Amino acid sequence: AQSVTQPDIHITVSEGASLELRCNYSYGATPYLFWYVQSPGQGLQLLLKYFSGDTLVQGIKGFEAEFKRSQSSFNLRKPSVHWSDAAEYFCAWLIQGAQKLVFGQGTRLTINP
Amino acid sequence: NAGVTQTPKFQVLKTGQSMTLQCAQDMNHEYMSWYRQDPGMGLRLIHYSVGAGITDQGEVPNGYNVSRSTTEDFPLRLLSAAPSQTSVYFCASRGRVFGANVLTFGAGSRLTVL
């Protein structure tokens, strides 16, 4: 079955440190991939998306992600995290034919001062 | 332009009770969907609709009913609530032009079934 895996349930980094959150998708044609962020008690906000073209995509809040077909990955990165980045992050894959968005399990990010 | 509005934000039910979670969007989006979020499981699709009068099942449809009589509204009905339906529910909508729009989520509805 088509799926999205986020191997890290919880990550802790220090403020100002760099960040990489991992995301792998199972298989398929060129995927439509997304990263969403969810702050406590809030809905999901889109950080960035990849549909085609340049494999390095820029998003909001200083985030970027790189699509690597050979590794079936779409990892999220930020050079220097801020305390306000503490949240849960979800990778998602749009299954076009099925008209549905498949989400990973989520990665909870904690920022140490 | 309010986006996607969900009501209620919080609800407590007893087993066997019924209720409806409301979802409305003012963006004239054709596609609307309902997800449930459970710890460690991400978001799972319950039902979706590609337009008024058209609905289909997602990954976890059992115990839920939907209808789409208008473009704006997509209510989710629990006919006989069970403790396994304790979750946070999100409604999301997307415009018709695939690739030019992405899902816009509501703020969520937290449901507890005792």
Side-chain angles (χ1 to χ4, degrees), chain A residues 13-97:
Chain A
V13 299
S14 298
E15 190 168 15
S18 64
L19 172 70
E20 182 168 27
L21 302 183
R22 297 183 291 166
C23 172
N24 294 96
Y25 63 94
S26 56
Y27 66 91
T30 300
Y32 292 78
L33 296 163
F34 305 80
W35 275 99
Y36 283 87
V37 60
Q38 184 182 30
S39 297
Q42 303 296 314
L44 278 75
Q45 180 183 22
L46 180 69
L47 283 176
L48 48 79
K49 62 184 184 293
Y50 172 78
F51 287 169
S52 65
D54 193 349
T55 56
L56 184 64
V57 293
Q58 303 297 320
I60 62 172
K61 304 184 180 188
F63 285 92
E64 67 179 24
E66 186 170 13
F67 171 63
K68 293 185 177 180
R69 183 187 298 278
S70 61
Q71 299 177 17
S72 297
S73 69
F74 187 56
N75 294 349
L76 181 72
R77 301 194 294 247
K78 187 169 184 178
S80 175
V81 297
H82 186 263
W83 64 266
S84 61
D85 294 324
E88 189 151 19
Y89 292 80
F90 292 93
C91 181
W93 176 16
L94 182 62
I95 311 295
Q96 289 179 262

Side-chain angles (χ1 to χ4, degrees), chain B:
Chain B
N1 186 338
V4 178
T5 303
Q6 290 182 234
T7 56
K9 292 192 184 309
F10 300 95
Q11 183 72 50
V12 178
L13 290 178
K14 294 181 180 177
T15 297
Q17 286 184 317
S18 63
M19 77 156 299
T20 300
L21 298 178
Q22 302 289 347
C23 176
Q25 52 92 9
D26 60 358
M27 297 172 284
N28 202 31
H29 285 172
E30 295 283 346
Y31 180 95
M32 296 185 73
S33 55
W34 277 101
Y35 287 83
R36 61 176 289 173
Q37 182 180 25
D38 302 292
M41 304 189 75
L43 281 80
R44 293 178 292 168
L45 181 66
I46 304 172
H47 285 286
Y48 66 95
S49 167
V50 297
I54 306 170
T55 64
D56 207 346
Q57 297 181 349
E59 300 171 71
V60 288
N62 292 341
Y64 307 95
N65 281 350
V66 292
S67 59
R68 187 90 179 273
S69 56
T70 67
T71 299
E72 295 78 19
D73 301 299
F74 190 44
L76 179 71
R77 297 182 184 85
L78 286 71
L79 298 180
S80 179
S84 61
Q85 294 178 301
T86 294
S87 187
V88 180
Y89 292 85
F90 288 96
C91 180
S93 70
R94 188 182 79 220
R96 173 190 285 272
V97 182
F98 175 75
N101 291 284
V102 295
L103 281 180
T104 301
F105 284 84
S109 298
R110 182 175 294 275
L111 175 65
T112 300
V113 183
L114 303 176

